[in-house]
Amino acid sequence: MIENRRFRNILSVALILLATIYLYNQSLKIINEETASIITRTLISLKGNYENVRNDYFINRIGTSAKRLIPAESKIQTSFPTKTMSFESVSLKYNLYPLKIEDESANIYTPTNTAKFSRDNWDYFIDFHQMIHNSSKQFKELPLGNGVRLFAQEGHNFLSSKESPSSYPLQKNIIIFFLITAFISLIGFFMLTSFGILPQKTDKFWLWGTSYLLGFVFLNFLVWIFLLIGGTLTKQTVIGLWGLSGIIFFLRRKRQTAPFCLEEKGGGNGAAPKSFFGESLAHFFYAALLIVIFLKTISIPISVVDEMWIWLLKAKIFFYQGHLDFQYTSNANNYYPLLWPIHNAVQFLFLNGAYDEAAKWTSAIIFLCFIAQIKKILSFWNFKPVISKILICVYLLVFFQWIFLTALPENLYLALLMTAAGFLLNWINLKEKDDRLLTLAFFMFLGLSGVKFEGAVIAFFCFLSLFLSCRQEVAPKKLLMLGVSFGAIFLIPLGWLLWLHNNGVSTYIFHLQKHFSTENILIMLNMVWTFLTPSSIIPIILGVAFMLSSNQQKQWEKQDTFLFSMMTLLILFSLTAGINWPSQDLKLYYPEVLSRLFLRATPFIMLFWTHRVFHKNHQN
């Protein structure tokens, strides 16, 4: 017995040592000289103008420069090949808006009348490829940098520098952004208190993060519905809608039902550092890691194709046009739900301009909301704060992806999903089920379906996991009602598709363009094999080793069933979601999509592993 215990202790020390070396190497991918350079350069640039940060990318610099030189309502063409799409053509289209490019390279998958397109029918021409070799006197020419030239036809002039935008209003934008954030959080706070969640009895980080997410979903759905019925997007209408909501929830805040607590009672889990130095070091590294990720997020300008092509171009269009307009968007993206673009369009309204850095600021805030949900689940399992922070650091170092740093809606998706999961885990653990938790989780799933088309599918995965966890203790009639309720979430994407169809909006659902084939299965299997690199295999080996070295007699709990089911379903979904893609596009684009989909499973992987390895079983 003693020798066996000694062997287990030696094995544990060896595993901890190997894990420490691995995590140290992972930390260098986040906290390094490049990160310090990006953040420092951004902070220096912000003293003058955020445009300086954006213009670090030459294509952004070309777009913003050309936008200041070309008058409104001009016919603009570029030298990009027709019927092709590239990062440069998408970025130029995005940065020039509300100026529109007429050639096919910018409007691929866009329902425009290309039969009238002619290379000779332009007022201004942006030449990336030296198509105009010998410009005659009928053309005026200006260099834009990097060999790119801007031409104007005879009779058309460039705007003077006096007509260019004035200095960047950084301080004003930051103040307005935080006022918007505070108001959204206040609405969510009133909603939480009306459900009986008292601020005195819960973690303030979680309370703030959950309040923001609740307010975000409700207020932006409200604007979306208003636009669907023909409303106009103006400051006055948004203030009216949001202000009325604020008054209603303020009056309801005292009509709360009996309070309930979101904590599990019992002894602490995990061995906290014994020394003050060790505990302080853990707190410091946790704070430093979150601060670095936050600063890096707001320091990198909009520079991902999907940020521009799918999401923020719509936000710009809605802001400038004042209503839902899909004449200049890609029909391959029109079916995506609008919760994220509408929020950014509303921010543009109050900022008095399409300052897209606000989308990065919002993404950074929502990332903290996501972390607050994981921390709360660990707290619900009664892990000590320092242990929770160490485990969150481990999660970030193992599963960190560049996607966290973007203005894609992935942070919002993860935050809403984990908030709902936290409510469901709490409900599963209660002997006397409190259905207010189900209502809050259901509301988060409504938000999830308003962010991504497949949000309703993920919500149904949660119901299946809930069914597997509680089928023996919950009445069949209630489980049936839950299934119907979660199934009703599919009405949001279906209703959205119906609205698009009835309003003549062209859609092209890229993900369903090919029938099931063995060729795509082989492509997917080969793709998964390429992902099995040393940096991904090492944590798998270490994680399994930790589980095997932990208590083998630990009972399988209901929460284990829920987490394992969600983890498995999300991994399977990430491996099969592209099965009906065109094969060539699957090879080109799905590796990035696969990593993005797999990211959604990572919190459940981490929580399942943590619960199995460290959580004390009540029966023991």
Side-chain angles (χ1 to χ4, degrees):
M1 179 68 73
I2 296 176
E3 290 183 359
N4 184 45
R5 186 181 302 171
R6 183 178 300 170
F7 172 76
R8 288 169 64 95
N9 290 337
I10 294 173
L11 179 61
S12 297
V13 170
L15 287 173
I16 291 172
L17 180 61
L18 290 172
T20 302
I21 295 171
Y22 170 77
L23 293 174
Y24 171 75
N25 288 327
Q26 290 294 105
S27 69
L28 296 180
K29 296 179 181 180
I30 304 175
I31 306 174
N32 51 34
E33 291 184 10
E34 180 187 7
T35 299
S37 175
I38 290 172
I39 294 173
T40 303
R41 188 169 66 247
T42 299
L43 293 177
I44 293 172
S45 297
L46 284 179
K47 292 181 179 179
N49 195 323
Y50 206 95
E51 293 292 333
N52 297 333
V53 180
R54 183 181 290 105
N55 291 341
D56 278 347
Y57 293 78
F58 97 92
I59 189 63
N60 292 346
R61 187 164 61 249
I62 299 300
T64 53
S65 299
K67 184 177 179 180
R68 293 173 181 175
L69 295 167
I70 300 174
E73 306 300 327
S74 300
K75 294 181 178 179
I76 305 170
Q77 291 187 20
T78 72
S79 61
F80 291 111
T82 60
K83 297 184 179 179
T84 60
M85 188 189 77
S86 65
F87 168 75
E88 288 77 13
S89 64
V90 168
S91 181
L92 187 65
K93 175 179 180 176
Y94 171 77
N95 282 290
L96 275 178
Y97 193 83
L99 300 177
K100 295 183 179 180
I101 300 173
E102 295 189 350
D103 52 290
E104 293 168 302
S105 64
N107 297 316
I108 186 170
Y109 302 127
T110 304
T112 54
N113 187 359
T114 56
K116 296 181 179 179
F117 173 74
S118 170
R119 277 292 186 196
D120 299 322
N121 185 23
W122 52 266
D123 302 328
Y124 295 86
F125 191 87
I126 304 174
D127 191 359
F128 285 79
H129 306 96
Q130 289 74 50
M131 284 185 65
I132 302 178
H133 297 287
N134 298 308
S135 59
S136 63
K137 293 182 179 180
Q138 68 179 12
F139 296 149
K140 298 173 184 177
E141 177 184 344
L142 276 180
L144 296 177
N146 293 77
V148 181
R149 298 173 297 166
L150 174 62
F151 293 95
Q153 289 274 22
E154 187 176 7
H156 295 274
N157 299 312
F158 301 115
L159 296 178
S160 67
S161 58
K162 293 181 180 179
E163 298 172 88
S164 299
S166 57
S167 60
Y168 175 78
L170 175 64
Q171 291 183 348
K172 177 186 74 98
N173 284 359
I174 291 176
I175 291 171
I176 292 173
F177 172 78
F178 277 107
L179 286 174
I180 294 171
T181 302
F183 182 80
I184 291 172
S185 301
L186 187 64
I187 295 298
F189 173 76
F190 290 155
M191 294 174 72
L192 274 180
T193 53
S194 69
F195 274 93
I197 296 178
L198 302 181
Q200 307 93 304
K201 295 187 176 183
T202 192
D203 175 68
K204 298 301 183 290
F205 186 29
W206 176 87
L207 181 69
W208 167 80
T210 308
S211 297
Y212 180 80
L213 293 171
L214 273 172
F216 184 101
V217 171
F218 177 81
L219 294 174
N220 289 302
F221 253 122
L222 197 63
V223 176
W224 188 3
I225 293 169
F226 178 73
L227 294 177
L228 287 176
I229 61 176
T232 303
L233 187 65
T234 65
K235 281 184 185 178
Q236 291 75 18
T237 56
V238 174
I239 289 173
L241 289 169
W242 287 18
L244 181 61
S245 302
I247 293 171
I248 292 172
F249 282 114
F250 177 77
L251 295 175
R252 277 183 53 84
R253 78 192 193 285
K254 292 184 178 180
R255 298 181 182 180
Q256 58 194 27
T257 53
F260 64 91
C261 189
L262 295 172
E263 305 287 348
E264 179 181 288
K265 297 179 180 179
N269 287 291
K274 300 296 184 181
S275 68
F276 173 79
F277 174 77
E279 189 167 337
S280 300
L281 186 64
H283 289 303
F284 172 79
F285 189 77
Y286 168 80
L289 194 57
L290 294 187
I291 290 170
V292 167
I293 294 173
F294 185 93
L295 290 177
K296 194 170 182 179
T297 301
I298 67 174
S299 298
I300 300 174
I302 302 299
S303 54
V304 178
V305 168
D306 282 1
E307 286 179 315
M308 299 177 281
W309 197 42
I310 298 178
W311 304 106
L312 295 182
L313 178 60
K314 290 177 186 171
K316 279 189 173 184
I317 292 171
F318 301 159
F319 161 65
Y320 282 108
Q321 301 302 322
H323 56 86
L324 300 182
D325 186 329
F326 299 93
Q327 293 303 307
Y328 197 55
T329 56
S330 166
N331 59 10
N333 304 325
N334 286 341
Y335 71 93
Y336 282 80
L338 297 183
L339 213 59
W340 181 240
I342 282 175
H343 176 74
N344 287 292
V346 169
Q347 290 193 137
F348 294 163
L349 272 180
F350 289 103
L351 294 173
N352 291 317
Y355 297 104
D356 60 6
E357 57 273 16
K360 297 299 294 286
W361 301 348
T362 306
S363 185
I365 292 288
I366 292 174
F367 173 78
L368 295 180
C369 297
F370 165 59
I371 296 300
Q373 303 310 315
I374 296 180
K375 186 172 180 291
K376 182 61 177 179
I377 292 172
L378 295 172
S379 168
F380 161 64
W381 290 336
N382 210 34
F383 281 92
K384 296 177 181 178
V386 65
I387 297 300
S388 297
K389 292 177 180 180
I390 291 172
L391 289 169
I392 289 170
C393 289
V394 170
Y395 167 74
L396 290 175
L397 293 177
V398 172
F399 293 114
F400 182 82
Q401 288 191 29
W402 60 271
I403 297 167
F404 285 133
L405 308 175
T406 69
L408 295 168
E410 299 305 320
N411 285 349
L412 177 60
Y413 197 98
L414 284 167
L416 292 173
L417 177 58
M418 295 316 298
T419 306
F423 287 131
L424 293 179
L425 284 168
N426 205 308
W427 185 83
I428 289 169
N429 191 62
L430 292 175
K431 291 183 179 179
E432 297 183 6
K433 307 299 185 189
D434 194 321
D435 289 348
R436 288 174 291 179
L437 292 168
L438 293 177
T439 304
L440 287 166
F442 181 81
F443 189 81
M444 290 299 173
F445 286 129
L446 290 178
L448 203 64
S449 65
V451 176
K452 281 292 189 73
F453 195 73
E454 69 273 13
V457 177
I458 306 304
F460 194 69
F461 286 171
C462 277
F463 165 72
L464 291 178
S465 303
L466 199 66
F467 173 79
L468 293 173
S469 306
C470 303
R471 65 188 185 279
Q472 295 180 344
E473 62 181 52
V474 178
K477 185 177 179 181
K478 185 166 187 175
L479 287 174
L480 178 62
M481 290 300 296
L482 284 175
V484 171
S485 300
F486 278 76
I489 295 174
F490 281 93
L491 294 176
I492 291 180
L494 292 176
W496 174 233
L497 287 177
L498 182 63
W499 185 93
L500 291 170
H501 175 75
N502 290 340
N503 285 271
V505 178
S506 175
T507 56
Y508 172 83
I509 302 182
F510 184 78
H511 305 73
L512 303 174
Q513 294 305 306
K514 183 179 179 179
H515 296 297
F516 180 81
S517 69
T518 55
E519 179 186 7
N520 277 7
I521 294 176
L522 294 175
I523 292 172
M524 295 292 293
L525 290 174
N526 183 63
M527 199 178 298
V528 171
W529 181 256
T530 61
F531 272 80
L532 295 177
T533 60
S535 62
S536 63
I537 293 175
I538 291 173
I540 294 173
I541 295 173
L542 288 173
V544 171
F546 270 110
M547 289 187 72
L548 293 176
S549 64
S550 64
N551 187 0
Q552 298 296 309
Q553 298 180 348
K554 184 176 180 180
Q555 182 178 337
W556 188 273
E557 298 183 32
K558 292 175 293 183
Q559 295 176 74
D560 293 319
T561 302
F562 178 85
L563 292 169
F564 182 78
S565 175
M566 281 300 298
M567 174 184 79
T568 304
L569 288 169
L570 287 170
I571 291 174
L572 289 174
F573 181 77
S574 68
L575 295 175
T576 57
I579 208 71
N580 289 323
W581 281 35
S583 297
Q584 192 58 34
D585 292 322
L586 188 68
K587 294 176 184 177
L588 290 174
Y589 305 122
Y590 203 73
E592 186 269 327
V593 174
L594 176 59
S595 63
R596 194 184 304 179
L597 293 177
F598 179 75
L599 182 63
R600 299 170 188 176
T602 58
F604 293 97
I605 296 173
M606 174 265 190
L607 290 170
F608 173 74
W609 178 81
T610 300
H611 197 259
R612 293 301 301 165
V613 173
F614 297 112
H615 186 253
K616 292 180 180 178
N617 198 318
H618 290 297
Q619 282 72 25
N620 291 340

PDB file of all heavy atoms in Angstrom, residues 574-597:
ATOM      1  N   SER A 574     -18.343  19.505 -35.043  1.00  0.00           N
ATOM      2  CA  SER A 574     -17.226  20.184 -35.712  1.00  0.00           C
ATOM      3  C   SER A 574     -16.629  19.325 -36.827  1.00  0.00           C
ATOM      4  O   SER A 574     -16.126  19.856 -37.820  1.00  0.00           O
ATOM      5  CB  SER A 574     -16.134  20.536 -34.687  1.00  0.00           C
ATOM      6  OG  SER A 574     -15.494  19.370 -34.185  1.00  0.00           O
ATOM      7  N   LEU A 575     -16.709  17.996 -36.675  1.00  0.00           N
ATOM      8  CA  LEU A 575     -16.142  17.092 -37.674  1.00  0.00           C
ATOM      9  C   LEU A 575     -17.087  16.814 -38.839  1.00  0.00           C
ATOM     10  O   LEU A 575     -16.652  16.311 -39.885  1.00  0.00           O
ATOM     11  CB  LEU A 575     -15.775  15.759 -37.007  1.00  0.00           C
ATOM     12  CG  LEU A 575     -14.665  15.814 -35.952  1.00  0.00           C
ATOM     13  CD1 LEU A 575     -14.496  14.456 -35.296  1.00  0.00           C
ATOM     14  CD2 LEU A 575     -13.349  16.279 -36.564  1.00  0.00           C
ATOM     15  N   THR A 576     -18.359  17.126 -38.672  1.00  0.00           N
ATOM     16  CA  THR A 576     -19.334  16.768 -39.717  1.00  0.00           C
ATOM     17  C   THR A 576     -20.060  17.967 -40.315  1.00  0.00           C
ATOM     18  O   THR A 576     -20.788  17.803 -41.300  1.00  0.00           O
ATOM     19  CB  THR A 576     -20.384  15.799 -39.148  1.00  0.00           C
ATOM     20  OG1 THR A 576     -21.027  16.410 -38.016  1.00  0.00           O
ATOM     21  CG2 THR A 576     -19.738  14.493 -38.711  1.00  0.00           C
ATOM     22  N   ALA A 577     -19.888  19.160 -39.762  1.00  0.00           N
ATOM     23  CA  ALA A 577     -20.659  20.322 -40.229  1.00  0.00           C
ATOM     24  C   ALA A 577     -20.357  20.670 -41.681  1.00  0.00           C
ATOM     25  O   ALA A 577     -21.194  21.264 -42.358  1.00  0.00           O
ATOM     26  CB  ALA A 577     -20.395  21.526 -39.332  1.00  0.00           C
ATOM     27  N   GLY A 578     -19.172  20.308 -42.155  1.00  0.00           N
ATOM     28  CA  GLY A 578     -18.815  20.650 -43.538  1.00  0.00           C
ATOM     29  C   GLY A 578     -19.002  19.506 -44.523  1.00  0.00           C
ATOM     30  O   GLY A 578     -18.493  19.578 -45.642  1.00  0.00           O
ATOM     31  N   ILE A 579     -19.728  18.478 -44.125  1.00  0.00           N
ATOM     32  CA  ILE A 579     -19.815  17.270 -44.943  1.00  0.00           C
ATOM     33  C   ILE A 579     -20.516  17.526 -46.279  1.00  0.00           C
ATOM     34  O   ILE A 579     -20.282  16.816 -47.267  1.00  0.00           O
ATOM     35  CB  ILE A 579     -20.535  16.151 -44.151  1.00  0.00           C
ATOM     36  CG1 ILE A 579     -20.066  14.780 -44.628  1.00  0.00           C
ATOM     37  CG2 ILE A 579     -22.030  16.284 -44.216  1.00  0.00           C
ATOM     38  CD1 ILE A 579     -18.667  14.430 -44.237  1.00  0.00           C
ATOM     39  N   ASN A 580     -21.389  18.556 -46.342  1.00  0.00           N
ATOM     40  CA  ASN A 580     -22.097  18.870 -47.581  1.00  0.00           C
ATOM     41  C   ASN A 580     -21.515  20.070 -48.325  1.00  0.00           C
ATOM     42  O   ASN A 580     -22.155  20.613 -49.218  1.00  0.00           O
ATOM     43  CB  ASN A 580     -23.585  19.124 -47.289  1.00  0.00           C
ATOM     44  CG  ASN A 580     -24.316  17.856 -46.910  1.00  0.00           C
ATOM     45  OD1 ASN A 580     -24.048  16.787 -47.444  1.00  0.00           O
ATOM     46  ND2 ASN A 580     -25.224  17.957 -45.957  1.00  0.00           N
ATOM     47  N   TRP A 581     -20.314  20.466 -47.941  1.00  0.00           N
ATOM     48  CA  TRP A 581     -19.643  21.548 -48.667  1.00  0.00           C
ATOM     49  C   TRP A 581     -19.176  21.046 -50.032  1.00  0.00           C
ATOM     50  O   TRP A 581     -18.896  19.842 -50.197  1.00  0.00           O
ATOM     51  CB  TRP A 581     -18.414  22.020 -47.898  1.00  0.00           C
ATOM     52  CG  TRP A 581     -18.686  22.933 -46.750  1.00  0.00           C
ATOM     53  CD1 TRP A 581     -19.753  22.911 -45.903  1.00  0.00           C
ATOM     54  CD2 TRP A 581     -17.833  23.992 -46.306  1.00  0.00           C
ATOM     55  NE1 TRP A 581     -19.627  23.895 -44.959  1.00  0.00           N
ATOM     56  CE2 TRP A 581     -18.463  24.573 -45.179  1.00  0.00           C
ATOM     57  CE3 TRP A 581     -16.621  24.497 -46.731  1.00  0.00           C
ATOM     58  CZ2 TRP A 581     -17.900  25.650 -44.492  1.00  0.00           C
ATOM     59  CZ3 TRP A 581     -16.064  25.567 -46.055  1.00  0.00           C
ATOM     60  CH2 TRP A 581     -16.701  26.137 -44.944  1.00  0.00           C
ATOM     61  N   PRO A 582     -19.017  21.940 -50.993  1.00  0.00           N
ATOM     62  CA  PRO A 582     -18.296  21.562 -52.218  1.00  0.00           C
ATOM     63  C   PRO A 582     -16.880  21.106 -51.849  1.00  0.00           C
ATOM     64  O   PRO A 582     -16.209  21.741 -51.030  1.00  0.00           O
ATOM     65  CB  PRO A 582     -18.275  22.865 -53.030  1.00  0.00           C
ATOM     66  CG  PRO A 582     -19.444  23.640 -52.520  1.00  0.00           C
ATOM     67  CD  PRO A 582     -19.563  23.310 -51.064  1.00  0.00           C
ATOM     68  N   SER A 583     -16.415  20.013 -52.431  1.00  0.00           N
ATOM     69  CA  SER A 583     -15.162  19.377 -51.995  1.00  0.00           C
ATOM     70  C   SER A 583     -13.962  20.306 -52.075  1.00  0.00           C
ATOM     71  O   SER A 583     -13.114  20.322 -51.181  1.00  0.00           O
ATOM     72  CB  SER A 583     -14.913  18.116 -52.830  1.00  0.00           C
ATOM     73  OG  SER A 583     -15.939  17.177 -52.627  1.00  0.00           O
ATOM     74  N   GLN A 584     -13.868  21.093 -53.144  1.00  0.00           N
ATOM     75  CA  GLN A 584     -12.722  21.980 -53.297  1.00  0.00           C
ATOM     76  C   GLN A 584     -12.712  23.056 -52.217  1.00  0.00           C
ATOM     77  O   GLN A 584     -11.660  23.384 -51.650  1.00  0.00           O
ATOM     78  CB  GLN A 584     -12.739  22.633 -54.691  1.00  0.00           C
ATOM     79  CG  GLN A 584     -11.450  23.347 -55.063  1.00  0.00           C
ATOM     80  CD  GLN A 584     -10.233  22.430 -55.041  1.00  0.00           C
ATOM     81  OE1 GLN A 584     -10.319  21.246 -55.366  1.00  0.00           O
ATOM     82  NE2 GLN A 584      -9.095  22.976 -54.619  1.00  0.00           N
ATOM     83  N   ASP A 585     -13.890  23.606 -51.916  1.00  0.00           N
ATOM     84  CA  ASP A 585     -13.983  24.612 -50.854  1.00  0.00           C
ATOM     85  C   ASP A 585     -13.711  23.994 -49.494  1.00  0.00           C
ATOM     86  O   ASP A 585     -13.167  24.656 -48.599  1.00  0.00           O
ATOM     87  CB  ASP A 585     -15.373  25.249 -50.873  1.00  0.00           C
ATOM     88  CG  ASP A 585     -15.599  26.091 -52.116  1.00  0.00           C
ATOM     89  OD1 ASP A 585     -14.662  26.765 -52.550  1.00  0.00           O
ATOM     90  OD2 ASP A 585     -16.718  26.046 -52.671  1.00  0.00           O
ATOM     91  N   LEU A 586     -14.090  22.736 -49.319  1.00  0.00           N
ATOM     92  CA  LEU A 586     -13.824  22.036 -48.069  1.00  0.00           C
ATOM     93  C   LEU A 586     -12.318  21.969 -47.809  1.00  0.00           C
ATOM     94  O   LEU A 586     -11.851  22.206 -46.695  1.00  0.00           O
ATOM     95  CB  LEU A 586     -14.424  20.631 -48.126  1.00  0.00           C
ATOM     96  CG  LEU A 586     -14.420  19.814 -46.831  1.00  0.00           C
ATOM     97  CD1 LEU A 586     -15.366  20.427 -45.806  1.00  0.00           C
ATOM     98  CD2 LEU A 586     -14.817  18.367 -47.112  1.00  0.00           C
ATOM     99  N   LYS A 587     -11.546  21.663 -48.842  1.00  0.00           N
ATOM    100  CA  LYS A 587     -10.085  21.581 -48.702  1.00  0.00           C
ATOM    101  C   LYS A 587      -9.476  22.940 -48.377  1.00  0.00           C
ATOM    102  O   LYS A 587      -8.550  23.048 -47.569  1.00  0.00           O
ATOM    103  CB  LYS A 587      -9.469  21.039 -49.994  1.00  0.00           C
ATOM    104  CG  LYS A 587      -9.835  19.606 -50.321  1.00  0.00           C
ATOM    105  CD  LYS A 587      -9.245  19.204 -51.675  1.00  0.00           C
ATOM    106  CE  LYS A 587      -9.668  17.799 -52.082  1.00  0.00           C
ATOM    107  NZ  LYS A 587      -9.154  17.441 -53.422  1.00  0.00           N
ATOM    108  N   LEU A 588     -10.006  23.989 -49.007  1.00  0.00           N
ATOM    109  CA  LEU A 588      -9.409  25.315 -48.877  1.00  0.00           C
ATOM    110  C   LEU A 588      -9.764  25.999 -47.563  1.00  0.00           C
ATOM    111  O   LEU A 588      -8.906  26.594 -46.910  1.00  0.00           O
ATOM    112  CB  LEU A 588      -9.854  26.200 -50.049  1.00  0.00           C
ATOM    113  CG  LEU A 588      -9.293  25.856 -51.428  1.00  0.00           C
ATOM    114  CD1 LEU A 588      -9.937  26.729 -52.500  1.00  0.00           C
ATOM    115  CD2 LEU A 588      -7.778  26.036 -51.451  1.00  0.00           C
ATOM    116  N   TYR A 589     -11.036  25.935 -47.174  1.00  0.00           N
ATOM    117  CA  TYR A 589     -11.526  26.793 -46.099  1.00  0.00           C
ATOM    118  C   TYR A 589     -11.866  26.069 -44.801  1.00  0.00           C
ATOM    119  O   TYR A 589     -11.886  26.697 -43.738  1.00  0.00           O
ATOM    120  CB  TYR A 589     -12.782  27.550 -46.565  1.00  0.00           C
ATOM    121  CG  TYR A 589     -12.571  28.349 -47.829  1.00  0.00           C
ATOM    122  CD1 TYR A 589     -13.353  28.112 -48.963  1.00  0.00           C
ATOM    123  CD2 TYR A 589     -11.586  29.326 -47.904  1.00  0.00           C
ATOM    124  CE1 TYR A 589     -13.169  28.835 -50.132  1.00  0.00           C
ATOM    125  CE2 TYR A 589     -11.390  30.059 -49.066  1.00  0.00           C
ATOM    126  CZ  TYR A 589     -12.181  29.808 -50.180  1.00  0.00           C
ATOM    127  OH  TYR A 589     -11.984  30.528 -51.329  1.00  0.00           O
ATOM    128  N   TYR A 590     -12.126  24.748 -44.865  1.00  0.00           N
ATOM    129  CA  TYR A 590     -12.644  24.103 -43.666  1.00  0.00           C
ATOM    130  C   TYR A 590     -11.620  23.929 -42.538  1.00  0.00           C
ATOM    131  O   TYR A 590     -12.022  23.862 -41.371  1.00  0.00           O
ATOM    132  CB  TYR A 590     -13.282  22.747 -43.996  1.00  0.00           C
ATOM    133  CG  TYR A 590     -14.271  22.335 -42.938  1.00  0.00           C
ATOM    134  CD1 TYR A 590     -15.505  22.962 -42.836  1.00  0.00           C
ATOM    135  CD2 TYR A 590     -13.967  21.344 -42.005  1.00  0.00           C
ATOM    136  CE1 TYR A 590     -16.413  22.611 -41.853  1.00  0.00           C
ATOM    137  CE2 TYR A 590     -14.867  20.982 -41.025  1.00  0.00           C
ATOM    138  CZ  TYR A 590     -16.085  21.624 -40.954  1.00  0.00           C
ATOM    139  OH  TYR A 590     -16.979  21.289 -39.974  1.00  0.00           O
ATOM    140  N   PRO A 591     -10.317  23.858 -42.809  1.00  0.00           N
ATOM    141  CA  PRO A 591      -9.389  23.770 -41.671  1.00  0.00           C
ATOM    142  C   PRO A 591      -9.575  24.904 -40.658  1.00  0.00           C
ATOM    143  O   PRO A 591      -9.584  24.666 -39.448  1.00  0.00           O
ATOM    144  CB  PRO A 591      -8.013  23.838 -42.342  1.00  0.00           C
ATOM    145  CG  PRO A 591      -8.238  23.225 -43.676  1.00  0.00           C
ATOM    146  CD  PRO A 591      -9.607  23.674 -44.094  1.00  0.00           C
ATOM    147  N   GLU A 592      -9.772  26.117 -41.164  1.00  0.00           N
ATOM    148  CA  GLU A 592      -9.999  27.250 -40.254  1.00  0.00           C
ATOM    149  C   GLU A 592     -11.362  27.132 -39.577  1.00  0.00           C
ATOM    150  O   GLU A 592     -11.512  27.410 -38.385  1.00  0.00           O
ATOM    151  CB  GLU A 592      -9.886  28.560 -41.044  1.00  0.00           C
ATOM    152  CG  GLU A 592      -9.963  29.818 -40.185  1.00  0.00           C
ATOM    153  CD  GLU A 592     -11.382  30.336 -40.047  1.00  0.00           C
ATOM    154  OE1 GLU A 592     -12.155  30.192 -41.003  1.00  0.00           O
ATOM    155  OE2 GLU A 592     -11.714  30.869 -38.974  1.00  0.00           O
ATOM    156  N   VAL A 593     -12.378  26.700 -40.326  1.00  0.00           N
ATOM    157  CA  VAL A 593     -13.718  26.528 -39.770  1.00  0.00           C
ATOM    158  C   VAL A 593     -13.715  25.411 -38.722  1.00  0.00           C
ATOM    159  O   VAL A 593     -14.360  25.525 -37.669  1.00  0.00           O
ATOM    160  CB  VAL A 593     -14.741  26.211 -40.885  1.00  0.00           C
ATOM    161  CG1 VAL A 593     -16.111  25.890 -40.296  1.00  0.00           C
ATOM    162  CG2 VAL A 593     -14.844  27.380 -41.858  1.00  0.00           C
ATOM    163  N   LEU A 594     -12.981  24.348 -38.984  1.00  0.00           N
ATOM    164  CA  LEU A 594     -12.903  23.229 -38.045  1.00  0.00           C
ATOM    165  C   LEU A 594     -12.329  23.681 -36.704  1.00  0.00           C
ATOM    166  O   LEU A 594     -12.860  23.330 -35.639  1.00  0.00           O
ATOM    167  CB  LEU A 594     -12.043  22.108 -38.632  1.00  0.00           C
ATOM    168  CG  LEU A 594     -11.784  20.894 -37.732  1.00  0.00           C
ATOM    169  CD1 LEU A 594     -13.091  20.233 -37.321  1.00  0.00           C
ATOM    170  CD2 LEU A 594     -10.877  19.886 -38.446  1.00  0.00           C
ATOM    171  N   SER A 595     -11.262  24.460 -36.739  1.00  0.00           N
ATOM    172  CA  SER A 595     -10.670  24.944 -35.488  1.00  0.00           C
ATOM    173  C   SER A 595     -11.638  25.854 -34.743  1.00  0.00           C
ATOM    174  O   SER A 595     -11.707  25.833 -33.509  1.00  0.00           O
ATOM    175  CB  SER A 595      -9.361  25.692 -35.779  1.00  0.00           C
ATOM    176  OG  SER A 595      -9.598  26.844 -36.562  1.00  0.00           O
ATOM    177  N   ARG A 596     -12.430  26.622 -35.495  1.00  0.00           N
ATOM    178  CA  ARG A 596     -13.403  27.525 -34.878  1.00  0.00           C
ATOM    179  C   ARG A 596     -14.545  26.737 -34.231  1.00  0.00           C
ATOM    180  O   ARG A 596     -14.971  27.047 -33.115  1.00  0.00           O
ATOM    181  CB  ARG A 596     -13.961  28.472 -35.944  1.00  0.00           C
ATOM    182  CG  ARG A 596     -14.705  29.659 -35.381  1.00  0.00           C
ATOM    183  CD  ARG A 596     -15.320  30.493 -36.499  1.00  0.00           C
ATOM    184  NE  ARG A 596     -14.344  30.939 -37.465  1.00  0.00           N
ATOM    185  CZ  ARG A 596     -14.649  31.667 -38.537  1.00  0.00           C
ATOM    186  NH1 ARG A 596     -15.912  31.989 -38.768  1.00  0.00           N
ATOM    187  NH2 ARG A 596     -13.716  32.035 -39.384  1.00  0.00           N
ATOM    188  N   LEU A 597     -15.022  25.705 -34.914  1.00  0.00           N
ATOM    189  CA  LEU A 597     -16.098  24.878 -34.355  1.00  0.00           C
ATOM    190  C   LEU A 597     -15.609  24.061 -33.167  1.00  0.00           C
ATOM    191  O   LEU A 597     -16.325  23.890 -32.171  1.00  0.00           O
ATOM    192  CB  LEU A 597     -16.659  23.956 -35.442  1.00  0.00           C
ATOM    193  CG  LEU A 597     -17.417  24.626 -36.595  1.00  0.00           C
ATOM    194  CD1 LEU A 597     -17.833  23.582 -37.625  1.00  0.00           C
ATOM    195  CD2 LEU A 597     -18.641  25.369 -36.087  1.00  0.00           C
TER     196      LEU A 597
END
